[in-house]
Amino acid sequence: MNGPAASAAPPAAASGDVADRAAAGFHAAYGEEPAGRWAAPGRANLIGEHTDYNDGFVLPFALTLRTVVAAAPQPGERWTVRSELSDPPVEFDGGQLDTPGRVTGWAAYVAGVVWALREAGYDVPGARLAIASDVPVGSGLSSSAAIEAAVLAALVDLGGLDLPAERQPRLAQRAENAYVGAPTGIMDQSAVIRCRAGHALFLDCRSESVEHVPFDLDAAGLAVLVVDSRAPHRHADGEYAARRAACERAAALLGVPALRDVGVADLDGALARLDDDEIRRRVRHVVTEDQRVLDTVDLLRAGRVREIGPLLTASHASMRDDFEITVPEIDTAVEAALAAGALGARMTGGGFGGCVLALIEADQADAVAHAVADAYADRGFPTPTHVMVLPAPGATRLS
Ligand code: ADP
Ligand code: MG
């Protein structure tokens, strides 16, 4: 990510083209050329927050920021992996893959993919891997799904495994849920594997059906500015669990399988049947957010991309006031972006930190980024970083 100030230049290890860095990392670690390189993007969720575990709708798109894996086969059940973020390489073998948890730290994301493939009955080739990435780690842009998807793509190709793209998200999710131990939904892996350039991915989290919805910002002279709030993730895990529990309780009280089954037309009636104000607000967020996803999809299908701005901003207000998952840094970034002329702006991701996305005219990027940085300085927050993104393709082989 670029900071508005020159001081925020990326560290030396991360400069240069990410695919070149992966190949150079492979050569440095193993003294030979890789057999190929595979890339998977980070993702941002355009709209639809905390709707996934309510069986609802989400609308992510893949980012131009990518993780690249350079890889080559090696004999036996042995996997050696290095990341430019962590030296020296980590090695594990088939014996360490009998139960989750034997490989720990960042390499667990790689071991988890090998483990999940083996669990699904695939004969996974031994491999050497080297990873480079432009996806910021831990900012809510899903560097975790990116590393999983890039490694998965490499192993599937190297081993000639019969695993079509539509079945890969489940497997990568299983790596993260069961091996790494992170309870994520299916959105991240679906986005980074299945997205298409110039499109967002409309995903029904109940049926897992997908639709590629046109989201051609470039053609419309628009862009999305992603601002990393740099807010510390305050109690994010506990708050996430509390929101999820509140939604499940509300669904039980309302006698529906999930809050997805309450439509906006039924909302007032549903709210009248709940006597706790906090639960009512949680329900209102989820139900109206599902509708905002559907409304956004309708506009995008009709090519009216410029008009989605108010839906993004309304989503933010709902997360701030009803779901209560934003923090002052995030609210400051959204308000400053809107005041500087963004067509819409919202927090993206689970909340309590992470990133803000702003829909802007392509030539507005500097003005909006500076406005956000100035607002941060006024409030005494650390300088935020930002990057311009366009909807990019999902995981792919590069060479
Ligand atoms: P996010 O997905 O929002 O970036 P997560 O906490 O889900 O944040 O995943 C981040 C973790 O994924 C890192 O702490 C690290 O263990 C692993 N990871 C992601 N990208 C890389 C990479 N390029 N090299 C090594 N580990 C990585
Ligand atoms: Mg993640």
Side-chain angles (χ1 to χ4, degrees):
M1 290 215 167
N2 301 314
S7 61
S15 61
D17 177 73
V18 63
D20 291 346
R21 286 177 1 237
F26 191 94
H27 196 271
Y30 310 120
E32 60 180 36
E33 297 303 314
R37 291 176 296 182
W38 291 261
R43 66 95 190 97
N45 191 20
L46 183 59
I47 194 163
E49 226 61 77
H50 287 260
T51 45
D52 55 350
Y53 56 79
N54 289 298
D55 276 2
F57 308 111
V58 293
L59 190 60
F61 63 100
L63 304 180
T64 29
L65 304 167
R66 301 189 296 183
T67 295
V68 176
V69 175
Q74 72 175 330
E77 295 193 324
R78 255 179 344 120
W79 294 270
T80 314
V81 54
R82 64 93 67 180
S83 164
E84 64 183 351
L85 299 180
S86 171
D87 245 354
V90 176
E91 192 158 69
F92 53 91
D93 59 30
Q96 283 157 284
L97 291 172
D98 48 359
T99 47
R102 300 276 298 273
V103 179
T104 56
W106 70 270
Y109 289 86
V110 179
V113 170
V114 178
W115 172 83
L117 276 169
R118 285 160 61 102
E119 281 277 301
Y122 290 99
D123 188 9
V124 187
R128 287 173 163 156
L129 309 124
I131 296 163
S133 181
D134 284 338
V135 186
V137 165
S139 292
L141 299 180
S142 214
S143 70
S144 57
I147 189 173
E148 290 154 12
V151 168
L152 182 57
L155 294 174
V156 163
D157 270 5
L158 288 178
L161 310 181
D162 178 20
L163 182 61
E166 59 271 19
R167 282 176 40 217
Q168 292 186 15
R170 270 267 167 248
L171 197 131
Q173 185 201 13
R174 185 154 157 73
E176 185 151 350
N177 291 171
Y179 198 93
V180 178
T184 58
I186 192 69
M187 170 170 74
D188 295 357
Q189 291 83 4
S190 299
V192 309
I193 291 169
R194 304 197 63 186
C195 275
R196 291 185 187 158
H199 291 75
L201 188 79
F202 175 37
L203 172 65
D204 179 334
C205 296
R206 173 170 279 168
S207 68
E208 289 185 22
S209 68
V210 303
E211 177 187 338
H212 298 278
V213 185
F215 184 44
D216 195 347
L217 294 173
D218 216 9
L222 299 173
V224 165
L225 185 76
V226 173
V227 178
D228 187 339
S229 73
R230 300 191 58 202
H233 279 260
R234 305 175 184 95
H235 315 297
D237 292 348
E239 296 284 359
Y240 176 89
R243 295 304 179 284
R244 205 170 164 146
C247 291
E248 281 162 13
R249 212 173 115 233
L253 288 168
L254 294 169
V256 289
L259 290 183
R260 182 253 181 78
D261 299 299
V262 182
V264 272
D266 318 324
L267 181 59
D268 286 345
L271 296 181
R273 291 166 54 206
L274 298 167
D275 52 18
D276 181 284
D277 183 55
E278 188 177 287
I279 293 261
R280 272 202 298 268
R281 284 183 290 119
R282 304 297 187 249
V283 171
R284 189 164 57 201
H285 166 71
V286 173
V287 173
T288 58
E289 185 78 349
D290 268 335
Q291 188 60 45
R292 282 185 289 270
V293 177
L294 298 176
D295 292 346
T296 304
V297 167
D298 279 346
L299 286 172
L300 293 180
R301 281 185 189 130
R304 294 160 60 189
V305 57
R306 222 162 254 281
E307 294 171 51
I308 69 172
L311 291 163
L312 305 183
T313 306
S315 167
H316 187 79
S318 179
M319 292 190 286
R320 182 190 62 213
D321 302 336
D322 279 349
F323 222 58
E324 298 179 285
I325 53 173
T326 69
V327 292
E329 290 89 335
I330 290 274
D331 292 334
T332 298
V334 167
E335 281 158 29
L338 291 170
L343 303 174
R346 62 182 290 274
M347 180 180 76
T348 180
F352 306 99
C355 290
V356 162
L357 62 78
L359 181 69
I360 59 171
E361 305 289 348
D363 60 8
Q364 264 186 331
D366 284 346
V368 174
H370 277 100
V372 173
D374 287 349
Y376 259 54
D378 286 349
R379 302 283 300 268
F381 298 147
T383 309
T385 55
H386 69 270
V387 67
M388 291 262 282
V389 296
L390 291 171
T396 180
R397 182 171 187 156
L398 297 178
S399 59

